[in-house]
């Protein structure tokens, strides 16, 4: 399973790479802007999923935007960094127990070891 | 000695109190592993650790307000507990970790019941979570009620065979 490693504040997470269609750097994209809870890219509006708010983190100064798409739903996710793509076997990803969450909708579904540190896998079903 | 009579306990220090759990629910005690905070989890969940390839939710009982009858040892939004050990417990289909220090093995038969005065002065935990108050030397050891504790933490109890699998876990790869 190919995963894109991202950082959001102090959190280090992973996104299934196959749902990431683009990584946008607003400094390099003239036709991209964010308007409150929506992003507009080349005239198309996308909902913005605010992981910083979900994680209780403040946005960094060099935010990049992931365009993600799955099951015909699309969204833009601001992150502070997209570091690398790693191939992580599905068997190495442990499911997160649902009972630890304080609400039914959740942003994370699994965890795997990344250099000895647990790294959380974002839940595409929860995001989109 | 009644409920705890003749059994082994794991005692540990948490929030300034000396607590204990029946050894039967404790799988092992480990040095504190790397723990990653999980946004959206209960405030008393310190985070998630990997334990033998399994996601181990680690609970900080200091942050679990209903457990404490007196002033909270720390604020719920305060700094994460610095305990050096994790008491790994098997509860139903779930495996959970509790942060603790000063972990020790205690035989309930050798620990006496604490006198009433000692109980009143030393017990800062809510009575509903304490099955029995034992005495070890000159200190009170609060034997926790695991059924009550884990239920309050949201850990599902064992289900009848075939009623469910995975302890509330989902397949992270979407299988």
């Amino acid at each position: 399973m190919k995963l894109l490693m991202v950082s959001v504040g102090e959190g280090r997470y992973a996104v299934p790479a196959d749902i990431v269609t683009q990584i946008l750097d607003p400094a390099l994209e003239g036709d991209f802007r964010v308007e409150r809870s929506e992003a507009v890219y080349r005239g198309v509006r996308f909902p913005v999923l605010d992981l910083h708010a979900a994680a209780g983190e403040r946005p960094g100064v060099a935010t990049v935007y992931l365009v993600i798409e799955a099951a015909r739903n699309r969204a833009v996710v601001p992150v502070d960094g997209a570091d690398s793509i790693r191939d992580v076997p599905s068997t190495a990803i442990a499911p997160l127990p649902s009972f630890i969450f304080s609400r039914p909708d959740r942003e994370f579904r699994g965890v795997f070891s990344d250099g000895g540190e647990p790294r959380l896998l974002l839940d595409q079903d929860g995001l989109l | 000695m009644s409920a705890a009579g003749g059994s082994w306990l794991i005692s540990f220090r948490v929030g300034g109190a000396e607590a204990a759990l029946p050894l039967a629910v404790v799988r092992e005690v480990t040095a504190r592993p790397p723990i990653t905070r999980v946004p959206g989890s209960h405030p008393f969940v310190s985070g998630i650790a990997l334990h033998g390839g399994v996601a181990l939710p680690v609970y900080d009982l200091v942050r679990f307000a209903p457990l404490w009858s007196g002033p909270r040892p720390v604020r719920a939004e305060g700094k994460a507990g610095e305990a050096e050990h994790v008491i790994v417990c098997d509860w139903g289909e779930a495996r959970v970790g509790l942060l603790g220090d000063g972990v020790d093995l205690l035989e309930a038969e050798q620990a006496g019941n604490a006198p009433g005065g000692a109980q009143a002065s030393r017990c800062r935990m809510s009575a509903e979570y304490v099955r029995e108050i034992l005495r070890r030397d000159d200190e009170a050891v609060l034997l926790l009620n695991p059924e009550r504790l884990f239920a309050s933490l949201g850990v599902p109890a064992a289900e009848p065979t075939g009623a469910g699998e995975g302890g509330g876990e989902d397949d992270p790869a979407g299988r």
Side-chain angles (χ1 to χ4, degrees):
Chain A
M1 187 176 190
K2 288 193 178 349
L3 302 177
L4 175 64
M5 307 296 162
V6 301
S7 57
V8 177
E10 294 184 356
R12 301 289 178 267
Y13 309 123
V15 185
D18 60 356
I19 69 167
V20 180
T21 59
Q22 279 181 286
I23 301 175
L24 302 176
D25 182 344
L28 303 176
E29 296 284 348
D31 200 6
F32 177 83
R33 65 183 187 278
V34 176
E35 298 174 350
R36 297 183 180 176
S37 61
E38 281 191 325
V40 182
Y41 179 53
R42 294 179 178 169
V44 179
R45 291 185 173 274
F46 298 84
V48 173
L49 304 176
D50 191 351
L51 283 183
H52 290 90
E57 302 272 5
R58 290 184 176 181
V61 292
T63 301
V64 295
Y65 294 81
L66 311 181
V67 180
I68 62 174
E69 181 172 353
R72 297 183 180 179
N73 293 319
R74 292 190 295 183
V76 163
V77 182
V79 298
D80 297 322
D83 310 324
S84 61
I85 291 180
R86 278 186 49 196
D87 198 355
V88 178
S90 296
T91 53
I93 303 170
L96 292 177
S98 58
F99 59 81
I100 66 172
F101 291 95
S102 57
R103 55 181 192 269
D105 54 323
R106 58 195 237 197
E107 288 82 14
F108 305 97
R109 66 179 304 130
V111 61
F112 60 96
S113 178
D114 181 27
E117 296 282 333
R119 185 184 281 248
L120 300 177
L121 172 63
L122 284 155
D123 182 357
Q124 64 193 65
D125 296 328
L127 287 174
L128 290 169
Chain B
M1 299 302 304
S2 54
S7 58
W8 288 90
L9 312 172
I10 290 288
S11 67
F12 57 100
R13 193 166 51 253
V14 57
E18 198 71 16
L21 280 169
L23 182 61
V25 306
V26 177
R27 181 182 184 89
E28 65 177 286
V29 177
T30 71
R32 182 186 178 120
I35 298 170
T36 292
R37 189 172 70 90
V38 182
S41 60
H42 295 293
F44 44 84
V45 175
S46 183
I48 204 90
L50 282 164
H51 180 259
V54 175
L56 179 74
V58 178
Y59 289 79
D60 185 356
L61 295 181
V62 172
R63 293 166 176 264
F64 183 54
L67 180 62
W68 304 95
S69 60
R72 297 274 301 279
V74 296
R75 294 189 309 170
E77 65 274 22
K79 190 179 178 184
E82 299 290 341
E84 294 180 349
H85 291 95
V86 171
I87 299 111
V88 182
C89 301
D90 282 330
W91 188 251
E93 297 293 321
R95 186 176 300 174
V96 300
L98 304 177
L99 290 173
D101 273 320
V103 181
D104 201 2
L105 190 62
L106 175 68
E107 187 172 13
E109 273 185 345
Q110 294 178 350
N113 285 101
Q119 293 181 22
S121 63
R122 296 186 180 212
C123 180
R124 295 191 302 133
M125 287 185 175
S126 299
E128 63 181 309
Y129 291 98
V130 178
R131 178 182 289 176
E132 197 167 345
I133 302 178
L134 308 172
R135 180 170 49 81
R136 178 175 55 192
D137 300 327
D138 61 346
E139 65 182 357
V141 179
L142 310 177
L143 175 59
L144 299 174
N145 179 335
E147 290 85 3
R148 178 69 177 150
L149 177 65
F150 289 127
S152 297
L153 292 174
V155 181
E159 295 179 358
T161 304
E165 295 179 355
E169 295 176 345
D170 299 327
D171 185 340
R175 292 166 296 203

